[in-house]
Amino acid sequence: MPLDLPLADEQPVERSDAARNREALLVAAQRLVDQCGVDSVTMDAVAQEAGVGKGTVFRRFESREGLMAAVLDRSETAWQGAVIGGPPPLGPGAEPMERLLAFGHTRLRLNLTHGALIRAADRSGARSFAAVSFAAMHVRYLLTQLGVTGDIPLLATALMAPLEVVILEQQAGREHIPVERIEAAWDDLVRRVVNG
Amino acid sequence: MPLDLPLADEQPVERSDAARNREALLVAAQRLVDQCGVDSVTMDAVAQEAGVGKGTVFRRFESREGLMAAVLDRSETAWQGAVIGGPPPLGPGAEPMERLLAFGHTRLRLNLTHGALIRAADRSGARSFAAVSFAAMHVRYLLTQLGVTGDIPLLATALMAPLEVVILEQQAGREHIPVERIEAAWDDLVRRVVNG
């Protein structure tokens, strides 16, 4: 075996160190987003929060935009994981209606944060097709479980539409409607669609 | 009376000439949008369609972006006029449910065109607050007429949300769902919300 090839049991150790490092920085950035809002997340603040040098943050993410994109991806992935295999009522095990309401409430709060993250990541307003299609598949599945008949794909879209970033930012941001009221109105919409 | 002040009956004639001129150019541009799509609307094409020189188009609208913004405003104003005082079922005189369905169908088709117009006008994706709030007020009024109880402002938003440009472009543009199917699904949503 040539000596200049990396040993199979060597590289994974290095990789997992890098992954832990990266994860610690993303956790720190997410904590700042949750506590102080997206605007407070500078490369300096993240370095300080994670207890590393600013250079380390730049080495891992290149720019504030890169860091914000990584926080966004991590948040979306964590939410999808919770839907697929997390505890009920969002995850499996609860009744379909309970799961649907938990889907809406978590998606609503996530989208309100994500709007700011998307802007900080300097992306177009459009979310990735993968994220949209995961949520759509999940709502279609729950509507079918609930015995809803009709155009299930488009009814699913109609339930997700009021949770779009552009709508939520108008309501919560410009009209100052409390999130709890938006949530209650969404629950009412779901009941009307499911019972109708 | 000082002679250098314009006479009251002189200026309106000039103004109405200018207004007619402007209207003819906007009608020509709208016809091109309807027939060939927004992309075919160049200053040259509009000049040719209206039978005037290209310089006239530039004098009135300065740029393609200015022209597109004017076409957008004209289209929105015409639609609002039809809702307020046009023939039924969109205008007054029809049953509230008929009016609500006509509202959705016309808004859906308008928003599909408007997405392209907004991009051609190089505006942000957000429509003017005035346009959003006119539509919201109208839907709230019809829901009240229909005897719907609940959080009327947010139920109105839930009905309008699936007609947002970002949703329609995903459905009609990327998923190639026929407009008739989107329309039928919206009608179903309305019935569920009103009856629920």
Side-chain angles (χ1 to χ4, degrees), chain B residues 121-140:
Chain B
D122 199 23
R123 292 192 196 180
S124 79
R127 277 168 301 133
S128 77
F129 183 69
V132 174
S133 109
F134 171 83
M137 290 304 156
H138 183 61
V139 173
R140 290 177 196 183

Side-chain angles (χ1 to χ4, degrees), chain A residues 38-39 41 64-66 68-69 114-123:
Chain A
V38 170
D39 289 342
V41 186
R64 181 170 186 271
E65 287 67 35
M68 291 297 103
H114 281 190
L117 274 175
I118 287 166
R119 270 188 299 281
D122 200 23
R123 293 191 193 182

Side-chain angles (χ1 to χ4, degrees), chain A residues 41-190:
Chain A
V41 186
T42 60
M43 299 300 254
D44 262 334
V46 171
Q48 206 171 349
E49 179 80 12
V52 300
K54 194 176 166 182
T56 307
V57 187
F58 273 101
R59 215 156 35 241
R60 293 275 174 226
F61 299 102
E62 286 187 3
S63 65
R64 181 170 186 271
E65 287 67 35
L67 174 62
M68 291 297 103
V71 170
L72 192 60
D73 284 347
R74 183 176 173 276
S75 161
E76 192 64 40
T77 304
W79 179 77
Q80 292 188 12
V83 170
I84 293 169
L90 182 60
E95 291 299 311
M97 182 56 113
E98 276 186 83
R99 290 194 74 190
L100 185 50
L101 298 179
F103 161 89
H105 299 177
T106 52
R107 195 67 244 175
L108 193 164
R109 281 158 204 272
L110 219 52
N111 278 359
L112 276 174
T113 312
H114 281 190
L117 274 175
I118 287 166
R119 270 188 299 281
D122 200 23
R123 293 191 193 182
S124 78
R127 278 169 300 135
S128 77
F129 181 70
V132 174
S133 109
F134 171 82
M137 291 303 156
H138 184 61
V139 174
R140 290 177 197 182
Y141 163 74
L142 293 176
L143 289 179
T144 308
Q145 292 275 304
L146 284 162
V148 174
T149 54
D151 193 331
I152 296 290
L154 293 199
L155 281 175
T157 302
L159 289 183
M160 292 188 300
L163 306 177
E164 284 288 325
V165 169
V166 58
I167 309 269
L168 293 177
E169 291 193 336
Q170 168 71 31
Q171 295 179 323
R174 259 164 278 169
E175 296 174 22
H176 305 291
I177 299 175
V179 173
E180 292 71 23
R181 185 178 152 201
I182 302 176
E183 212 166 69
W186 193 78
D187 293 356
D188 182 34
L189 174 71
V190 168

